Amino acid sequence: MAVQWYPGHMNKARRIIKESMSDVDLVIEVMDARIPFSSENPMVAELRQHRPCIKILNKSDLADPAITRTWLQYFEKEQGVKAQALSVLEKSRTKKLPALCRKMLPERGTAVKPIRIMIMGIPNVGKSTLINTLAGKTLAKVGDEPAVTKVVSSAQQRIILEGGIALSDTPGILWPKIENANSSYRLAITGAIKNTAIDYEDIALFAADYLIIAYPSVVLKRYKLKQIPKTGTQLLEDIGRKRGCLRAGGIIDLQRASEILIHEIRSGALGQLSFETPEMIAEETACRLG
Ligand code: G4P
């Protein structure tokens, strides 16, 4: 992975977030709705302990709504967790979040006893966009390294919102789950990790293999194919042919075809797609353990 999550960085992030926790009443964990398992960080449960948590399945505008619903049910089973599908680009819905926070912590939420909130998540899931929308102004984007996280304790580092909400102005940045090879691919496909050590064609091939099985009609329609390719490589070749990605001698330029596929997935040009379901993850996890 090119995002280098050195053990030193991880430990520092964990320590700083842990220190900040004594001044936090509620945690909002932002995840990518297309890959909730891979974009979740198990450390959040350890760090938040008994504190209530809202899990935001963000970028739901890009995810398959039916699969997002199954993930919401999955997460709601966790103790003290409310799960919400959201696109934080949608300001009016996002601004309803403070009301949910007050419902979860009715004993706080006043000017004297505000609900102190920390937003957490891996890079590129939409934490800064969420903070900016709630704050109603654009705050400087923090870096993507856990090390830039700072201890949140002083009032200056909090944004005071209406209705007794105090929001940490910097998110707790955690590292993605990388113990599962499939997760690395899915994080790369969705752009959560942009510059990965995995070859672009490899990422596109993983995506193509998945799409021909999970979303065959989407593939047929988008690339105007008569029949569904049998393999991911065939799909990339079809895309190359259809989009004129040819090198000298009529050889298909698989690198360019791969870039097209990944770009179109990330931009939503293929429609709303999810790359993980709870059942899939249960199977993968069982295989790893078995
Ligand atoms: P972060 O703080 O967690 O690192 O994420 P940030 O808010 O910077 O968001 C990362 C990218 O994701 C941004 O795109 C942002 O506009 C986009 N994004 C955030 N929330 C949503 C959402 O709900 N739906 C969609 N479709 N996109 C969302 P960007 O600035 O163009 O960066 P990039 O795409 O080039 O990384």
Side-chain angles (χ1 to χ4, degrees):
M1 287 288 146
V3 179
Q4 298 292 347
W5 306 102
Y6 296 114
H9 275 147
M10 296 183 193
N11 291 337
K12 186 171 179 193
R14 183 195 203 154
R15 179 177 54 74
I16 292 175
I17 295 173
K18 208 169 173 177
E19 282 170 28
S20 301
M21 272 298 135
S22 55
D23 287 312
V24 171
D25 305 305
L26 183 142
V27 166
I28 296 182
E29 184 181 13
V30 186
M31 300 182 284
D32 187 320
R34 296 165 295 175
I35 50 166
F37 173 76
S38 299
S39 61
E40 189 194 23
N41 189 303
M43 200 67 69
V44 171
E46 178 206 309
L47 289 165
R48 74 178 175 88
Q49 295 181 337
H50 59 278
R51 291 168 189 82
C53 176
I54 301 177
K55 289 194 186 261
I56 306 249
L57 272 63
N58 190 39
K59 308 199 184 186
S60 61
D61 54 312
L62 298 173
D64 184 327
I67 295 178
T68 300
R69 279 194 291 278
T70 65
W71 278 112
L72 290 175
Q73 286 166 3
Y74 173 93
F75 287 118
E76 290 257 345
K77 286 186 194 134
E78 290 176 21
Q79 187 74 23
V81 169
K82 284 264 165 237
Q84 286 260 303
L86 202 63
S87 164
V88 294
L89 300 180
E90 224 185 283
K91 289 201 167 69
S92 58
R93 276 205 63 213
T94 306
K95 284 185 177 282
K96 289 185 181 151
L97 262 184
L100 176 62
C101 298
R102 281 191 291 276
K103 213 166 142 192
M104 290 176 80
L105 271 174
E107 68 281 13
R108 295 192 75 98
T110 62
V112 186
K113 253 173 104 177
I115 302 176
R116 297 161 300 174
I117 298 176
M118 182 185 260
I119 291 175
M120 286 192 203
I122 68 165
N124 290 316
V125 286
K127 299 178 299 299
S128 308
T129 313
L130 172 60
I131 293 176
N132 290 339
T133 300
L134 291 176
K137 59 182 175 190
T138 304
L139 300 154
K141 172 146 166 93
V142 292
D144 277 348
E145 288 169 26
V148 300
T149 314
K150 59 190 175 191
V151 179
V152 179
S153 52
S154 70
Q156 289 96 316
Q157 289 168 347
R158 290 229 168 85
I159 306 154
I160 306 299
L161 308 179
E162 279 172 29
I165 303 280
L167 186 68
S168 307
D169 70 354
T170 51
I173 302 171
L174 296 163
W175 53 97
K177 222 182 263 173
I178 46 176
E179 71 264 29
N180 176 348
N182 290 344
S183 287
S184 314
Y185 281 108
R186 292 178 193 131
L187 287 158
I189 291 167
T190 53
I193 298 176
K194 290 228 177 62
N195 311 307
T196 85
I198 316 173
D199 182 75
Y200 224 87
E201 278 182 49
D202 273 356
I203 300 168
L205 190 57
F206 186 96
D209 279 336
Y210 173 75
L211 290 176
I212 55 176
I213 292 167
Y215 294 103
S217 53
V218 169
V219 167
L220 285 178
K221 193 167 166 220
R222 178 73 196 171
Y223 299 110
K224 301 188 174 62
L225 306 178
K226 293 213 169 63
Q227 59 185 36
I228 193 74
K230 287 198 174 62
T231 64
T233 307
Q234 267 180 29
L235 172 57
L236 291 178
E237 287 169 355
D238 283 345
I239 294 172
R241 227 172 274 120
K242 290 274 177 181
R243 298 292 175 88
C245 309
L246 299 175
R247 290 205 305 244
I251 297 166
I252 296 166
D253 185 339
L254 284 179
Q255 175 72 20
R256 272 181 58 210
S258 299
E259 284 168 16
I260 289 173
L261 179 64
I262 296 300
H263 175 75
E264 296 196 348
I265 290 171
R266 288 184 186 168
S267 70
L270 274 104
Q272 293 178 298
L273 308 174
S274 290
F275 289 86
E276 287 174 352
T277 65
E279 297 75 36
M280 241 167 92
I281 296 303
E283 256 174 53
E284 284 179 13
T285 321
C287 287
R288 263 211 323 276
L289 294 175

